Amino acid sequence: MKEKIKTMLEDALPLVDFDSDFLFSELDSLGVTTILMMLSDEFGIKLEAQDATPKNLKTLDSIVSMVEKKISEKK
């Protein structure tokens, strides 16, 4: 799942370094919105503005954890 998310987001936001330990600091509001919308559509989950926290978007691993948590809550 991590590689799928990374590939998907790199295609949409080619200027962002998704290997960064401080990913959130590289994102502008449009980047954050793009990530939330793409992940919501791809995985059929509901991601909202309150999910766009520095903790959830700090690294690629934290993004994957957020998605996995939302998928498990949906079941």
Side-chain angles (χ1 to χ4, degrees):
M1 177 180 289
K2 181 178 178 177
E3 282 305 311
K4 178 180 182 176
I5 290 174
K6 182 177 181 187
T7 302
M8 190 171 76
L9 296 180
E10 283 177 339
D11 288 346
L13 302 167
L15 300 178
V16 176
D17 177 11
F18 285 96
D19 294 319
S20 172
D21 289 336
F22 301 100
L23 177 60
F24 187 77
S25 65
E26 295 192 26
L27 298 170
D28 58 12
S29 58
L30 183 59
V32 170
T33 303
T34 300
I35 289 173
L36 295 180
M37 287 176 40
M38 288 185 71
L39 295 175
S40 293
D41 291 347
E42 179 68 26
F43 296 101
I45 55 178
K46 189 170 179 129
L47 293 172
E48 299 174 11
Q50 61 263 30
D51 295 312
T53 63
K55 180 181 174 197
N56 284 342
L57 300 174
K58 183 178 180 198
T59 63
L60 185 59
D61 287 333
S62 60
I63 293 173
V64 172
S65 295
M66 174 181 65
V67 170
E68 289 172 340
K69 181 177 178 221
K70 290 287 185 178
I71 290 171
S72 70
E73 288 173 357
K74 193 176 85 164
K75 291 179 181 175

